[in-house]
Amino acid sequence: MSSKGKLIIYYGCMFSGKTSALIQHISDLGLKNNELIVMKPSVDVRSGQATIKTHDGKIHPCLIYEKDIEIFDYIDQYTKVLALDEVQFFDKMFLSEIKRLLGKGISVIASGLDKDYLNRPFGLMPALLELADEKHHLKAKCEVCGQAAEHSYRKAQNNVLILIGQSDYYEARCSNCFNKKD
């Protein structure tokens, strides 16, 4: 009988290095291609269709998660790790798939935003953090004062919850600067 897989989460605000930490972690594992599956949600179109990409240019090939994808079509007896980038955008039904994988002894390493631009818990992240074996809270540098930042401040005057963008729409801010009225 296989042992339970580990759930490892890298989380924080925009520009905190979550994807960099994910790529570094999976690189450090030294797994063969058939032992690792990397996925991102289809809504994230910033780095192209089949890669995850950091703000400093590191890339890693990946599969694209669509709501109707069957993750177990990609899992075989050699799979040891599933890595998920931008996990806050995954369908909430995906949580049961993650639990199934962990039960089969497959580890899951995920990165994503813990809070949306209104500072509310975002998507799957609260449930994943509760379930996680390891949690790595990453912080960015506040764009206003230079202190440690935990918030994704939206610069654009747009009220839709999901607005995919980078520094064109967002900046990292500490709590004091996030709560100041502009």
Side-chain angles (χ1 to χ4, degrees), residues 16-58:
S16 62
K18 301 173 302 297
T19 301
S20 294
L22 178 69
I23 289 174
Q24 187 63 54
H25 190 122
I26 59 179
S27 296
D28 289 348
L29 292 173
L31 297 174
K32 297 175 185 163
N33 285 342
N34 64 338
E35 296 174 321
L36 171 68
I37 297 171
V38 180
M39 297 182 84
K40 74 173 185 178
S42 61
V43 69
D44 182 10
V45 295
R46 293 172 298 170
S47 64
Q49 281 302 308
T51 61
I52 57 175
K53 183 178 178 183
T54 66
H55 295 291
D56 61 356
K58 293 178 187 158

Side-chain angles (χ1 to χ4, degrees), residues 36-180:
L36 171 68
I37 297 171
V38 180
M39 297 182 84
K40 74 173 185 178
S42 61
V43 69
D44 182 10
V45 295
R46 293 172 298 170
S47 64
Q49 281 302 308
T51 61
I52 57 175
K53 183 178 178 183
T54 66
H55 295 291
D56 61 356
K58 293 178 187 158
I59 61 170
H60 196 286
C62 71
L63 298 171
I64 306 300
Y65 170 75
E66 298 279 353
K67 287 185 180 184
D68 60 353
I69 193 172
E70 182 52 55
I71 184 61
F72 285 93
D73 288 347
Y74 297 96
I75 304 292
D76 62 26
Q77 72 266 22
Y78 304 108
T79 306
K80 293 181 179 178
V81 173
L82 171 65
L84 305 170
D85 193 35
E86 301 294 350
V87 74
Q88 75 276 0
F89 294 132
F90 279 71
D91 185 281
K92 290 188 179 183
M93 298 300 293
F94 199 70
L95 184 60
S96 61
E97 300 297 309
I98 290 172
K99 289 178 181 178
R100 264 179 78 195
L101 291 168
L102 294 171
K104 291 182 174 288
I106 297 169
S107 290
V108 177
I109 305 165
S111 66
L113 296 169
D114 57 332
K115 296 178 272 188
D116 65 18
Y117 79 102
L118 295 171
N119 204 34
R120 299 178 303 201
F122 203 169
L124 284 180
M125 195 55 77
L128 289 176
L129 286 169
E130 186 175 313
L131 189 63
D133 297 295
E134 286 182 30
K135 304 169 196 175
H136 302 275
H137 186 191
L138 305 175
K139 296 182 181 180
K141 182 178 175 183
C142 179
E143 292 293 324
V144 177
C145 72
Q147 298 297 313
E150 297 184 41
H151 303 280
S152 300
Y153 177 79
R154 184 178 287 176
K155 300 186 294 186
Q157 297 301 313
N158 184 319
N159 293 329
V160 299
L161 177 60
I162 298 175
L163 178 63
I164 304 297
Q166 297 183 56
S167 59
D168 50 345
Y169 294 132
Y170 297 97
E171 66 185 18
R173 289 198 177 178
C174 68
S175 292
N176 285 336
C177 294
F178 180 81
N179 291 315
K180 284 181 187 172

